[in-house]
Amino acid sequence: MALRGLTDTIVPPRGYRGRKGALHLHNKKNFKTSIGGQALIEGVMMKGVSQSCMAVRTPSGEIDVETWDNPKAKWYKKVPIIRGVINFVVMLIEGYRTLMKSAEKAGFDEAESESKFDQWLSKVFGEKLMGVISVVALILGVALALLLFMVIPAFLTKFLRPMIGSQIALSAIEGVIKIAIFVGYLALVSRMEDIHRVFEYHGAEHKTIFCYEHGNEMTVENILKEKRFHPRCGTSFLLIVLVLSILVFSVVTWDSLVLRVVLKFAFLPLVVGVAYEIIKFAGRHDNPFTRAISAPGMWLQRLTTAEPDASQVEVALASFLPVLPKDESEDDRW
């Protein structure tokens, strides 16, 4: 479905069965929706209770909207820790898939000419070429992340072992190196023009969710007024993972660098699962304790989000409306 743009008055999504009005607005105090999203290339993906949607601004200026049903299997959502690990893997795969698809819709995959190697790849893999490239790129991306945040920090810290006898102190230094790499990486990529634009869509995503949670009418004008730092951001989640890893990995041996890296791989699901529970708790409650937990991640969002313009908010809103619960009895609670 393609839209030319959104007007100030928003029409409810097709099939909507909520209360009368331009848009279903909850009347709960301090409402915390379970809807979350991800910035894409010239677009935004939103994941609701039963449906997901991606909206992308095409080269023609239209907003291309695509929706799909979420998996029915939800048994793991009631199992602490496990649900965090599974959700992380699912969102990693789905997020990368929609990111690649958004690049295609936005026209980023259009090349002026193909090299002989490109022609050979197209001949061998045919229509499956983009899928193959996506899988290879995902594997390389995960491998690079593990190298940057697991192998390199442990390797660098190993040289300090003769001078520092405390295992806890070594783990703390390793953690500081991880966080420094993370912040430095974000600071560098935020300077890239294309990435900065993705971060603007990231800001549009946060503002849209905030506008809904605050019970305001869902218009572009209202959304632009909202703040762009949200406690449930993936940036905050990753920072919590890094901080938790300092505590958990402090008990992992330094006797062997290889053994330490292997054990860290083994402990990683636990760290991810606990981090999910923490950010889930912080997302559902608003008090001094949860605000303190969320503060570092929200500070870091100054690097990973940017102020969007009205056209980017239009895209975020187009991805948000279709995932609104069609029935008030649905559990839209984080």
Side-chain angles (χ1 to χ4, degrees):
M1 177 174 63
L3 307 175
R4 277 291 178 186
L6 301 177
T7 60
D8 287 339
T9 301
I10 303 303
V11 179
R14 183 178 296 177
Y16 173 70
R17 299 192 300 275
R19 293 196 298 268
K20 293 181 179 180
L23 183 63
H24 166 61
L25 295 177
H26 55 81
N27 56 8
K28 301 174 183 176
K29 186 178 181 180
N30 297 322
F31 181 71
K32 304 292 184 182
T33 182
S34 63
I35 298 173
Q38 174 183 317
L40 306 174
I41 296 175
E42 292 301 323
V44 174
M45 184 269 285
M46 292 284 187
K47 189 178 182 70
V49 177
S50 58
Q51 274 201 323
S52 294
C53 176
M54 66 178 292
V56 179
R57 182 79 68 178
T58 65
S60 66
E62 296 181 336
I63 302 177
D64 182 277
V65 179
E66 180 179 341
T67 61
W68 62 93
D69 293 331
N70 295 334
K72 299 295 183 181
K74 297 181 179 179
W75 62 267
Y76 60 86
K77 293 191 175 182
K78 295 183 178 180
V79 185
I81 310 298
I82 299 297
R83 60 189 173 191
V85 177
I86 296 178
N87 279 333
F88 177 72
V89 174
V90 170
M91 286 304 295
L92 185 66
I93 295 173
E94 189 172 64
Y96 191 79
R97 178 181 64 81
T98 54
L99 185 67
M100 295 295 291
K101 185 175 286 188
S102 70
E104 183 179 349
K105 290 176 180 288
F108 274 59
D109 63 335
E110 295 178 0
E112 294 182 0
S113 60
E114 285 189 336
S115 65
K116 290 184 178 180
F117 180 67
D118 292 331
Q119 294 174 4
W120 178 81
L121 287 175
S122 300
K123 182 179 180 180
V124 172
F125 295 104
E127 295 181 355
K128 297 181 180 179
L129 177 59
M130 285 304 298
V132 172
I133 293 176
S134 298
V135 171
V136 172
L138 179 60
I139 292 173
L140 291 176
V142 172
L144 178 61
L146 294 175
L147 177 66
L148 288 176
F149 300 111
M150 282 190 133
V151 178
I152 291 179
F155 178 77
L156 293 177
T157 309
K158 182 182 178 183
F159 292 103
L160 299 175
R161 190 180 175 194
M163 298 176 285
I164 302 175
S166 172
Q167 183 164 300
I168 295 178
L170 286 171
S171 297
I173 293 172
E174 181 188 32
V176 170
I177 293 175
K178 287 181 184 178
I179 294 174
I181 291 175
F182 183 51
V183 174
Y185 172 79
L186 292 178
L188 286 174
V189 299
S190 65
R191 290 181 164 281
M192 299 171 62
E193 184 177 349
D194 291 340
I195 299 299
H196 184 78
R197 189 156 178 82
V198 172
F199 287 171
E200 289 174 349
Y201 277 104
H202 192 187
E205 173 222 326
H206 285 185
K207 284 172 175 280
T208 302
I209 293 174
F210 260 136
C211 188
Y212 177 64
E213 290 184 325
H214 292 161
N216 297 323
E217 186 179 359
M218 300 297 290
T219 65
V220 171
E221 182 179 10
N222 285 344
I223 292 172
L224 283 169
K225 295 176 183 177
E226 298 288 345
K227 60 183 179 180
R228 72 178 199 263
F229 311 122
H230 200 285
R232 286 195 289 111
C233 177
T235 306
S236 300
F237 171 76
L238 291 176
L239 186 59
I240 292 174
V241 168
L242 292 177
V243 173
L244 278 178
S245 69
I246 297 174
L247 301 176
V248 175
F249 298 156
S250 65
V251 300
V252 178
T253 179
W254 279 93
D255 293 337
S256 168
L257 179 60
V258 174
L259 179 59
R260 179 171 175 80
V261 171
V262 170
L263 289 175
K264 286 166 71 173
F265 274 111
F267 277 111
L268 185 58
L270 174 64
V271 173
V272 169
V274 173
Y276 176 85
E277 298 302 324
I278 292 175
I279 202 168
K280 179 180 176 70
F281 180 83
R284 292 186 63 180
H285 302 86
D286 185 11
N287 54 55
F289 176 69
T290 57
R291 285 195 290 270
I293 292 175
S294 303
M298 294 178 74
W299 293 336
L300 199 56
Q301 287 175 43
R302 295 182 182 279
L303 292 177
T304 62
T305 66
E307 287 296 329
D309 58 28
S311 68
Q312 291 167 321
V313 168
E314 285 180 350
V315 175
L317 188 52
S319 70
F320 183 81
L321 295 183
V323 306
L324 283 172
K326 295 181 177 64
D327 192 322
E328 292 182 39
S329 65
E330 287 193 73
D331 184 20
D332 181 23
R333 194 75 182 175
W334 174 255

